[in-house]
Amino acid sequence: MRPERSGGRATRFLVTGAGGMLGRDLLAVLDGRDVTAATRAELDITDAAKVRSLVEGHDVVINAAAWTDVDGAEADEAAATAVNGTGVAALAAACAATGAKLVHVSTDYVFPGDATEPYAEDAATGPINAYGRGKLVGERAVLDTLPESGYVVRTAWLYGTTGRNFVLTMLRLAAEREFVDVIDDQVGQPTWARDLAERLVALADSDAPAGIYHGTASGRTSWHGLAAAAFELAGHDPARVRHTTSEAFVRPAKRPAFSVLGHERWAAAGMPPMRDWRAMLHDMMPGVAR
């Protein structure tokens, strides 16, 4: 990583959504750097005037602020899109006005999930739920407003040592139940938030071409495979994780069945793809009380 930009001036970072799971890991990765941390309480990204005021004076904005309630977005798509779409557009406009670079976190949910091979960065989108549609609005705002300094990093199946996420839920259920039923007909790339945070900062520090990147682990598994792996690493019998299908867990928002993303564009940035999901999970587990 490069702590300074050309000319010797230290890079000033703004991290939005700093109180969330990814935001906290971003702050840990940026420890010792010149960083402004803006939590949701401190910055509503739908407030364009406040966004412009806070972005002023920063060289890089990493946007981890988002409406993450996928099912809630089905009930109030306008509110979800205000954050994931309109709010991101406000950030992009502020960055364009001040000359800041924007690294924005998006999602695999912009794809329909009906592929059989990994989605390339330039693959056709087609979200199947309100959350995905709102996130796609945000992506387009970044790419249209900041063609030379906007980065969209799609991630998927994100988990970490804090907040509400699938891995922590499985570990809690391991202590509460004899068996856990987990779906095996959705496939994706479980990604540790800490690894993603490191990659986002590395991208911000690089001279990589602007555009879309896929910030997901290498390899692939099902939700059942992830749960079984988490059980085993925590010292539980993975056979306690039983197979089931999506039909047994009907939810308001339809989920993509196939969320495997390709990683070809990292080569243009001079970086390898992110590491395998199993290695990430292994390294994350010691940080979890269980």
Side-chain angles (χ1 to χ4, degrees):
M1 296 182 185
R2 301 175 311 166
E4 296 186 347
R5 302 179 74 180
S6 59
R9 183 166 61 87
T11 303
R12 297 193 62 202
F13 286 84
L14 169 63
V15 176
T16 61
M21 177 178 67
L22 177 59
R24 292 178 185 182
D25 279 342
L26 281 165
L27 296 183
V29 172
L30 287 165
D31 186 41
R33 309 283 290 270
D34 188 350
V35 181
T36 300
T39 65
R40 181 171 60 181
E42 294 163 333
L43 177 64
D44 175 0
I45 65 170
T46 66
D47 184 338
K50 191 166 185 180
V51 166
R52 171 66 181 270
S53 176
L54 194 56
V55 168
E56 183 74 42
H58 294 90
D59 305 300
V60 176
V61 177
I62 303 181
N63 181 37
W67 174 299
T68 58
D69 181 357
V70 175
D71 290 323
E74 291 297 311
D76 196 345
E77 184 167 357
T81 302
V83 177
N84 293 340
T86 310
V88 176
L91 279 171
C95 288
T98 61
K101 179 187 292 186
L102 175 60
V103 180
H104 168 63
V105 180
S106 191
T107 175
D108 60 302
Y109 279 36
V110 299
F111 294 117
D114 57 358
T116 56
E117 295 295 330
Y119 284 102
E121 292 86 350
D122 60 355
T125 54
I128 58 175
N129 57 40
Y131 171 76
R133 289 190 291 271
K135 293 293 283 186
L136 187 57
V137 171
E139 282 194 10
R140 289 172 174 167
V142 174
L143 299 173
D144 290 346
T145 307
L146 299 166
E148 303 298 327
S149 58
Y151 299 79
V152 170
V153 182
R154 295 173 178 146
T155 194
W157 294 30
L158 205 63
Y159 64 86
T161 58
T162 62
R164 297 175 58 187
N165 63 79
F166 180 82
V167 172
L168 294 188
T169 297
M170 289 300 105
L171 296 178
R172 174 178 58 81
L173 292 178
E176 298 174 356
R177 302 180 185 178
E178 182 177 0
F179 296 102
V180 179
D181 295 331
V182 182
I183 61 177
D184 60 7
D185 57 358
Q186 292 177 19
V187 178
Q189 297 158 309
T191 303
W192 185 19
R194 181 59 178 257
D195 268 51
L196 177 61
E198 291 175 352
R199 182 52 60 99
L200 294 174
V201 173
L203 184 61
D205 280 334
S206 76
D207 292 319
I212 299 171
Y213 293 81
H214 286 165
T216 53
S218 297
R220 66 180 75 175
T221 190
S222 66
W223 289 114
H224 176 276
L226 174 58
F231 265 54
E232 185 171 19
L233 287 170
H236 304 295
D237 182 359
R240 292 171 55 199
V241 183
R242 301 186 299 199
H243 295 263
T244 190
T245 66
S246 300
E247 292 181 355
F249 288 92
V250 178
R251 303 173 74 176
K254 187 176 180 181
R255 266 65 171 177
F258 186 84
S259 291
V260 180
L261 307 183
H263 304 122
E264 295 302 317
R265 286 212 75 213
W266 289 117
M271 303 179 203
M274 294 173 68
R275 59 188 180 142
D276 187 81
W277 70 271
R278 299 171 190 83
M280 290 187 187
L281 185 64
H282 177 274
D283 288 353
M284 172 266 195
M285 293 297 285
V288 180
R290 53 185 190 278

